[in-house]
Amino acid sequence: MSTYSVHISELAERDLKEIGRYIAEEFLEPTIALKLVDKIGDAALGLEEMPQRNALVADKRLSTLGMRKLLVDNHIIFYDISEKEKTVMVIRILYGRRDWLTLL
């Protein structure tokens, strides 16, 4: 089984930091925030093996671009795969109830 190199965009890194900040400050739950950020980060890095296991995004425009999604609790990791380079690029990490179609 071949493995892929996982890269996280600056925007996705900002998304993850914002998720942690929001939970820590708005809900006053820094421990829960840290656990969730770790869980999402681990899931993203776990895409190094079999990243195709997750479905393409249901939106026609995004699926044509090869955009896939991975659900982690109430959050969605959006990514695409380069088979040629054996890389996974994490594009965004968003709260599932946001209007993410307008953000991608």
Side-chain angles (χ1 to χ4, degrees):
M1 177 185 332
S2 69
T3 59
Y4 293 73
S5 177
V6 177
H7 303 279
I8 300 177
S9 71
E10 287 184 30
L11 200 49
E13 284 183 19
R14 274 188 259 146
D15 291 337
L16 194 54
K17 288 177 184 174
E18 178 58 24
I19 290 166
R21 185 212 59 79
Y22 182 79
I23 293 170
E25 293 178 7
E26 298 296 321
F27 294 111
L28 303 175
E29 293 287 355
T31 303
I32 291 173
L34 184 58
K35 286 180 183 178
L36 179 60
V37 166
D38 284 346
K39 185 175 184 179
I40 294 170
D42 289 346
L45 295 176
L47 291 169
E48 69 182 0
E49 293 185 17
M50 294 178 33
Q52 304 86 348
R53 70 184 179 271
N54 299 299
L56 290 168
V57 175
D59 179 74
K60 185 173 180 147
R61 175 183 65 91
L62 295 175
S63 66
T64 301
L65 296 172
M67 180 91 58
R68 294 179 180 270
K69 64 180 180 176
L70 170 60
L71 302 176
V72 180
D73 293 343
N74 295 326
H75 295 82
I76 307 171
I77 299 172
F78 294 95
Y79 66 97
D80 63 12
I81 304 167
S82 169
E83 289 296 338
K84 181 180 178 183
E85 297 176 13
K86 294 292 187 200
T87 60
V88 173
M89 175 56 80
V90 175
I91 299 165
R92 296 293 308 258
I93 303 170
L94 301 171
Y95 181 64
R97 290 193 155 189
R98 288 185 74 177
D99 183 13
W100 49 264
L101 281 174
T102 62
L103 299 171
L104 295 172

